[in-house]
């Protein structure tokens, strides 16, 4: 560890300098620092965050699709403190703790049908990793060991561990980490804006997109495919919602070929779409749910894989173990915070709040369609994306240099300077995503729209 003297500019600059020298930030172009100061966020309150200079910024993406109940909820902090004083840590490797057992029961009660078995992780990527491993072993245990492959969708992000990254459908994110876990293959996603041949017939688009999953299963061989991984609303690429009938058809396809359906709800669960689990809102029953993020509103890290009794059955046979786990999975402090967060969400009726306000949020966001640079506005619940285009009439997107200027140059700084923290992304086409805390209402929707509007008007001048 090195020690350096504080900068004469004061504590704020000093903290940014420390970060530039020592903090290896995630998914970040590190080479631009310290020439470009690292933004330092020091506190949060309600729907707002504050930087080192005391500037108020509307948290338009809930930290990272996480802070459902808003920042600064002292009741959650007090629960964490109390649990840490009672039992700060013990693993669930052959043991239980009261918070872990109670949270498993609560999640089993909240999950649909017989998804009763809860395997805890520390985050979403680990939950996805666990689901793939569980699917592989499940089929081995029932006498079908060749079924090990998975199908996911183009541009979908499912996590950073090697297995979850293999399931991820973003080639650029994977190229530096090859070879990845083998056995993951892709089908098209449900980006209706980029499939204009189905304009006006969403049901036909849903059938087409679902049938591409069956096509992938048949191409790889049903005897070799273990699972299909889908998000209820796909995050990467910009909030792709399911067309009518899509998930019902995917469920039928999985049943026909004895393939497990995994609903990756790391973002979409815990109220983001107005239900505890979004598969319920979109009308399908998975075999496994993966979840994380909003379970604690970010006040402590935790994730989970929730499996059906069908999936669990062979693991209950004599002498069978699932040789997988992590030190901090089911951490007692995180589990206690999750229970308190779920109580809070129920008490404040946050799911109902999202359902009550989602139409107004969508209507407010769609006002941006009058801008020439805005090609599409799409989403559901409190999860929306604005796709930016070079030519609205032709839906032409930006070239590589223009993307660099927009997504990594102009937009992040301009949005933050204008008072909004949200996400500019081009893992598919160029989008800006918003997913505010579930306590937001019309005043926040209006503020988000106004800041986006001014920022997009300015962005149009540089491309």
């Amino acid at each position: 560890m090195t020690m350096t003297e504080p900068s004469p500019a004061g504590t704020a600059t000093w903290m940014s300098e420390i970060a530039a020298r020592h903090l290896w930030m995630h998914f970040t172009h590190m080479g631009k620092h310290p020439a470009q100061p690292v933004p330092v966020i020091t506190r949060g309150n309600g729907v707002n965050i504050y930087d080192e200079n005391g500037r108020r910024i509307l948290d338009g993406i809930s930290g990272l699709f996480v802070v459902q109940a808003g920042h600064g909820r002292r009741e959650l902090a007090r629960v964490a403190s109390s649990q840490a004083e009672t039992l700060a840590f013990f693993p669930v490797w052959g043991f239980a703790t009261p918070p872990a057992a109670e949270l498993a029961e609560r999640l089993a009660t909240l999950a649909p049908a017989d998804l009763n078995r809860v395997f805890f992780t520390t985050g979403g990527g680990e939950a996805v990793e666990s689901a793939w491993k569980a699917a592989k072993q499940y089929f081995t245990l029932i006498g079908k060991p060749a079924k090990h492959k998975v199908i996911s969708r183009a541009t979908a992000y499912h996590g950073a561990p090697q297995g979850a990254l293999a399931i991820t459908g973003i080639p650029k994110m994977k190229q530096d980490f090859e070879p990845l876990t083998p056995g993951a293959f892709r089908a098209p996603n449900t980006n209706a804006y980029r499939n204009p041949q189905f304009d006006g017939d969403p049901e036909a688009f849903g059938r087409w997109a679902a049938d591409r999953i069956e096509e992938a299963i048949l191409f790889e061989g049903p005897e070799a495919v273990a699972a299909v991984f889908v998000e209820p609303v796909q995050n990467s690429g910009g909030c792709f919602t399911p067309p009518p009938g899509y998930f019902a058809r995917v469920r039928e396809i999985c049943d026909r070929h004895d393939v497990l359906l995994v609903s990756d709800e790391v973002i979409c669960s815990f109220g983001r779409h107005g239900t505890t689990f979004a598969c319920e809102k979109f009308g399908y029953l998975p075999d496994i749910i993966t979840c994380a993020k909003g379970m604690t509103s970010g006040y402590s890290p935790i994730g989970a894989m929730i499996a059906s009794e069908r999936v669990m059955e062979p693991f209950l046979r004599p002498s069978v173990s699932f040789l997988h786990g992590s030190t901090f999975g089911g951490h007692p402090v995180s589990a206690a915070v999750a229970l308190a967060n779920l109580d809070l969400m129920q008490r404040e009726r946050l799911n109902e709040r999202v359902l009550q306000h989602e139409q107004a949020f969508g209507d407010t966001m769609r006002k941006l369609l009058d801008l020439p640079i805005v090609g599409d506005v799409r989403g559901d619940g409190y999860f929306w994306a604005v796709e930016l285009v070079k030519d609205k009439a032709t839906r032409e997107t930006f070239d590589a240099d223009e993307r660099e200027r927009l997504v990594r140059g102009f937009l992040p700084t301009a949005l933050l300077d204008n008072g909004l923290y949200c996400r500019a992304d081009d893992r598919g086409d160029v989008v800006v995503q918003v997913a505010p805390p579930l306590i937001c209402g019309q005043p926040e929707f209006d503020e988000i729209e106004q800041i986006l509007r001014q920022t997009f008007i300015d962005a149009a001048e540089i491309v």
Side-chain angles (χ1 to χ4, degrees):
M1 181 172 63
T2 61
M3 301 295 292
T4 51
E5 292 300 318
S7 147
T11 304
T13 302
W14 170 233
M15 191 60 63
S16 183
E17 289 175 354
I18 289 175
R21 290 192 183 110
H22 303 295
L23 180 62
W24 194 332
M25 288 169 282
H26 297 200
F27 293 98
T28 300
H29 286 185
M30 299 290 292
K32 65 184 179 182
H33 306 300
Q36 181 177 324
V38 178
V40 179
I41 304 302
T42 59
R43 66 185 182 95
N45 182 47
V47 302
N48 299 309
I49 53 176
Y50 297 83
D51 70 8
E52 56 187 350
N53 299 310
R55 179 178 53 166
R56 181 189 73 87
I57 301 162
L58 176 60
D59 184 356
I61 202 167
S62 303
L64 195 61
F65 315 105
V66 170
V67 189
Q68 317 295 63
H71 298 275
R73 303 303 296 254
R74 293 182 178 178
E75 58 266 53
L76 299 183
R78 284 194 292 266
V79 166
S81 175
S82 176
Q83 179 59 48
E85 290 177 358
T86 303
L87 179 66
F89 173 74
F90 204 79
V92 292
W93 295 34
F95 294 85
T97 64
E102 290 175 29
L103 180 59
E105 181 189 38
R106 176 78 67 86
L107 293 175
T109 300
L110 292 170
D114 70 340
L115 277 83
N116 296 324
R117 303 293 183 153
V118 181
F119 182 93
F120 286 117
T121 67
T122 60
E126 286 183 11
V128 170
E129 194 91 357
S130 302
W132 192 3
K133 292 177 77 173
K136 287 182 177 181
Q137 188 173 353
Y138 165 79
F139 281 112
T140 296
L141 291 171
I142 67 170
K144 298 181 178 182
K147 290 177 77 71
H148 68 281
K149 297 179 181 181
V150 297
I151 308 298
S152 60
R153 299 184 294 189
T155 323
Y157 176 74
H158 291 283
Q162 287 287 91
L165 189 59
I167 298 172
T168 290
I170 309 168
K172 191 173 181 180
M173 293 191 67
K174 303 192 286 187
Q175 62 191 16
D176 293 333
F177 308 109
E178 300 283 358
L180 300 175
T181 304
F185 302 90
R186 236 65 55 208
N189 56 45
T190 59
N191 183 354
Y193 182 67
R194 291 296 170 186
N195 285 275
Q197 69 271 29
F198 294 104
D199 283 354
D201 195 349
E203 292 185 1
F205 178 48
R207 289 192 301 272
W208 176 86
D211 288 347
R212 300 290 73 73
I213 290 177
E214 183 167 39
E215 187 177 77
I217 292 171
L218 293 172
F219 184 82
E220 295 303 324
E223 71 284 355
V225 177
V228 169
F229 281 72
V230 290
E231 296 165 276
V233 175
Q234 184 175 313
N235 166 39
S236 182
C239 299
F240 301 145
T241 56
Y246 173 77
F247 278 123
R249 197 169 182 89
V250 171
R251 178 72 268 181
E252 291 172 4
I253 290 165
C254 289
D255 290 343
R256 183 156 56 245
H257 299 295
D258 193 18
V259 171
L260 298 180
L261 178 57
V262 181
S263 187
D264 183 356
E265 305 205 14
V266 170
I267 287 175
C268 293
S269 56
F270 305 110
R272 183 56 53 190
H273 297 280
T275 53
T276 300
F277 296 104
C279 59
E280 296 179 280
K281 184 175 186 180
F282 296 108
Y284 66 99
L285 180 62
D287 300 291
I288 296 174
I289 294 172
T290 56
C291 56
K293 292 187 184 289
M295 195 190 308
T296 64
S297 283
Y299 285 73
S300 194
I302 197 167
M305 170 186 68
I306 308 173
S308 68
E309 292 292 347
R310 169 199 172 192
V311 171
M312 187 69 188
E313 186 277 327
F315 291 94
L316 299 177
R317 297 172 185 174
S319 303
V320 172
S321 295
F322 184 39
L323 297 179
H324 174 64
S326 62
T327 300
F328 295 114
H331 193 284
V333 173
S334 295
V337 172
L339 286 164
N341 179 63
L342 293 172
D343 286 343
L344 184 159
M345 292 184 68
Q346 182 178 18
R347 185 169 62 250
E348 298 187 4
R349 300 176 65 85
L350 293 186
N351 284 355
E352 292 87 344
R353 180 181 180 84
V354 170
L355 295 176
Q356 178 184 355
H357 291 285
E358 64 176 342
Q359 181 66 47
F361 189 19
D363 289 345
T364 304
M365 292 294 293
R366 279 186 283 266
K367 291 179 181 179
L368 296 165
L369 285 166
D370 67 349
L371 297 176
I373 197 174
V374 173
D376 193 29
V377 175
R378 54 185 179 256
D380 180 86
Y382 274 33
F383 189 30
W384 287 81
V386 180
E387 181 167 336
L388 305 182
V389 293
K390 187 172 182 178
D391 187 308
K392 193 163 187 165
T394 65
R395 307 187 187 188
E396 181 186 358
T397 191
F398 302 97
D399 64 30
D401 290 340
E402 291 164 338
R403 285 173 178 240
E404 188 68 24
R405 291 203 302 275
L406 269 176
V407 177
R408 280 161 291 279
F410 176 76
L411 285 171
T413 301
L415 287 163
L416 209 61
D417 287 347
N418 289 337
L420 178 64
Y421 166 60
C422 60
R423 186 180 205 177
D425 189 18
D426 69 340
R427 289 176 294 179
D429 294 301
V430 175
V431 297
V432 173
Q433 288 178 289
V434 291
L438 309 188
I439 58 175
C440 285
Q442 193 61 51
E444 289 78 26
F445 303 159
D446 289 337
E447 185 176 358
I448 290 170
E449 189 273 339
Q450 289 159 15
I451 293 173
L452 290 176
R453 176 174 294 276
Q454 185 56 58
T455 306
F456 294 159
I457 289 171
D458 295 339
E461 299 296 320
I462 70 166
V463 290

